[in-house]
Amino acid sequence: MTLEIITPDKKVYTGEVNAVSFPGSEGRFQVLKDHAPIVSTLAKGDLVIEANGKKQTFVVDGGVVEVVKNKILVLAEAVA
């Protein structure tokens, strides 16, 4: 899967991932390969990326995520 994290200021992350966990506004959820298409709002919290056996965490300050055909696009208000 391809993940892209973008804020109004810059592109924060682009790359291949195995799994991504999101702080959804209705609760945490995870996206794996071949996930059904989804659009969801994000709350403030940890966005955890799993790629090549390693985990990387970003703190997002709200935003929106779209998943379509193994492409994940995160439009975040801010990322720490």
Side-chain angles (χ1 to χ4, degrees):
M1 293 185 300
T2 305
L3 171 66
E4 192 170 14
I5 302 173
I6 301 172
T7 67
D9 302 336
K10 62 183 175 180
K11 188 178 290 189
V12 177
Y13 182 94
T14 301
E16 290 292 318
V17 297
N18 300 102
V20 186
S21 296
F22 295 97
S25 57
E26 299 293 321
R28 289 200 65 78
F29 65 97
Q30 186 177 49
V31 173
L32 301 171
K33 187 177 180 194
D34 297 326
H35 195 285
I38 185 174
V39 174
S40 178
T41 54
L42 299 174
K44 184 174 184 175
D46 292 345
L47 185 154
V48 182
I49 299 167
E50 295 178 35
N52 301 319
K54 297 179 182 177
K55 290 187 179 183
Q56 186 174 3
T57 302
F58 295 93
V59 178
V60 295
D61 195 15
V64 177
V65 59
E66 176 188 52
V67 179
V68 178
K69 296 182 182 176
N70 290 320
K71 292 182 182 175
I72 306 168
L73 176 61
V74 176
L75 303 174
E77 294 175 23
V79 175

